[in-house]
Amino acid sequence: MNELKIFNSDLIPVYTTDTGEKVVIGRELHDALGIKSQYKDWFPRMADYGFSEGVDFNLLKNERVHKEGNRTVKRMVIDHILKFDMAKHICMIQRTETGKAIRQKLIDLEKAINGKDSYMIEDPIERAKVWIKEQEARKQLEMKNAAQSQQIQ
């Protein structure tokens, strides 16, 4: 994931990775949910619900500039790039109206993205990207079916 591009910023910013996947930034979700504890304490608790680095989220290191008195200080801040499923689960765990609203927004956005077949997309580049993903998914299913058939035999 080299670059994140903003996709939607209604309740929480949603980004598109260079692979086309939609993701959420952990600190932005933390802030949008109105969590009282510090991010550094909150995120490990959320990850303990069975989420794995490299599968459900990836580490993101940012350099942030802060003013401390008369001087400017640069600090490395740890953040996380969350896949939609993890973000939705975290919103549900919070059991708040805000969490429920953000989760529903992510579900609606995901449906809008995934609900279009490649032949329904007007932009030729986006249509090609979706078609390629459809073909890859079809190949994976065919390989899985072949493997299961082999096991059955």
Side-chain angles (χ1 to χ4, degrees), residues 1 3-9 12-26 28-29 55-58 80-88 105-116 121 123 125-126 129-130 133:
M1 275 184 253
E3 182 179 336
L4 295 177
K5 297 176 187 164
I6 191 134
F7 179 75
N8 185 304
S9 61
I12 181 170
V14 173
Y15 300 88
T16 303
T17 66
D18 53 358
T19 62
E21 183 177 28
K22 303 295 185 250
V23 295
V24 174
I25 303 298
E28 292 175 352
L29 180 60
V55 176
D56 302 303
F57 65 92
N58 290 304
H80 301 88
I81 299 171
L82 313 180
K83 292 190 177 184
F84 261 33
D85 284 345
M86 181 176 180
K88 289 186 296 189
K105 179 63 181 176
L106 294 175
I107 290 169
D108 293 344
L109 188 57
E110 192 172 46
K111 283 180 184 176
I113 293 165
N114 295 334
K116 293 183 179 178
I121 299 173
D123 178 31
I125 294 171
E126 287 300 314
K129 287 179 183 178
V130 172
K133 285 182 183 179

Side-chain angles (χ1 to χ4, degrees), residues 67-109:
K67 282 263 188 193
E68 290 184 2
N70 294 332
R71 61 188 189 125
T72 302
V73 178
K74 291 182 183 178
R75 290 221 167 90
M76 192 60 77
V77 176
I78 306 261
D79 207 336
H80 301 88
I81 299 171
L82 313 180
K83 292 190 177 184
F84 261 33
D85 284 345
M86 181 176 180
K88 289 186 296 189
H89 283 291
I90 288 174
C91 289
M92 188 171 61
I93 290 167
Q94 303 309 310
R95 296 186 296 182
T96 64
E97 285 303 313
T98 305
K100 187 176 178 181
I102 293 172
R103 180 173 181 266
Q104 189 59 51
K105 179 63 181 176
L106 294 175
I107 290 169
D108 293 344
L109 188 57

